[in-house]
Amino acid sequence: MCGFIVSSKTFSLDKLRQISKEFISYRGTLEEKIISTENLYFSFKRLPIVDVSNNSNQPYQWQGHSIVFNGEIYNYKNIKRELETKYQIKFEGNSDVEVFLKGFLHFGPKTFFEKANGMWAYVIEDNEKNIYWGRDQFGIKPLYFSFKDQNIHLSSSLPALNTIMQNRK
């Protein structure tokens, strides 16, 4: 049960760290990781299940794209094999988050979601600064968001998002 927060960089990084520690630190066993892109902060706390190596740590970045992903793709090995054999896409690890990002970018969302079976909530910022977010078709994994004054905040934790909104300038 991983946890994440994605926030516009107009929000205080120190406050984001505090909120992450308070509301998502219990959702994983690995050290929390926060990265910064040009426009966003990505905070993630990981509970390793599928791939316990550091190659699967999140936020995960590849070729200027960033993702946080909470969930599981049940058929990720099949999608990975297709990406490797048909399209010569290289993989660093054995995680479904890496397959999610590379499959989403290569196939496009419509085709990727037709191929993928599982449950998830995700946020992706691509290398052109477009933001994509969503959940599986059944909405099993939580994803909450707020968009106000051109600032976006997304989280797998409603209390974390509420606290961010209360702490905005």
Side-chain angles (χ1 to χ4, degrees):
M1 178 174 170
C2 304
F4 66 82
I5 301 171
V6 177
S7 177
S8 296
K9 287 182 74 173
T10 57
F11 192 73
S12 162
L13 180 57
D14 289 335
K15 287 182 184 175
L16 178 64
R17 283 189 179 111
Q18 289 175 321
I19 292 167
S20 293
K21 284 187 187 343
E22 185 173 351
F23 295 106
I24 67 169
S25 65
Y26 70 93
R27 296 179 81 176
T29 56
L30 298 183
E31 190 66 32
E32 174 193 359
K33 182 178 173 186
I34 297 177
I35 64 161
S36 174
T37 67
E38 186 177 322
N39 298 313
L40 299 172
Y41 295 122
F42 286 79
S43 175
F44 196 85
K45 184 70 172 190
R46 181 168 173 247
L47 177 62
I49 296 173
V50 174
D51 183 355
V52 296
S53 74
N54 288 334
N55 291 331
S56 299
N57 288 351
Q58 295 185 51
Y60 179 78
Q61 293 182 296
W62 178 68
Q63 296 183 349
H65 308 282
S66 303
I67 184 173
V68 287
F69 167 83
N70 181 19
E72 182 178 357
I73 303 173
Y74 306 134
N75 63 333
Y76 79 97
K77 290 180 182 179
N78 296 336
I79 297 169
K80 179 181 179 182
R81 190 170 24 259
E82 179 180 357
L83 289 167
E84 288 175 321
T85 58
K86 286 187 180 178
Y87 306 104
Q88 290 69 53
I89 295 176
K90 305 282 186 214
F91 286 82
E92 301 166 13
N94 296 310
S95 73
D96 51 356
V97 69
E98 187 176 6
V99 172
F100 193 104
L101 180 60
K102 292 177 180 180
F104 182 94
L105 295 169
H106 179 78
F107 295 121
K110 184 177 188 296
T111 301
F112 175 70
F113 291 132
E114 288 170 353
K115 291 178 179 289
N117 295 316
M119 58 179 176
W120 56 74
Y122 72 94
V123 180
I124 294 172
E125 182 183 39
D126 70 14
N127 61 6
E128 295 179 0
K129 308 305 173 214
N130 297 305
I131 302 169
Y132 303 89
W133 72 88
R135 302 184 327 168
D136 63 87
Q137 64 189 9
F138 299 109
I140 296 170
K141 291 293 184 179
L143 176 61
Y144 306 99
F145 73 94
S146 171
F147 185 74
K148 186 174 182 181
D149 301 327
Q150 302 298 312
N151 295 299
I152 191 162
H153 308 280
L154 303 108
S155 182
S156 59
S157 165
L158 185 56
L161 185 64
N162 285 338
T163 304
I164 287 171
M165 298 312 297
Q166 292 167 2
N167 281 278
R168 287 183 30 141
K169 294 179 183 177

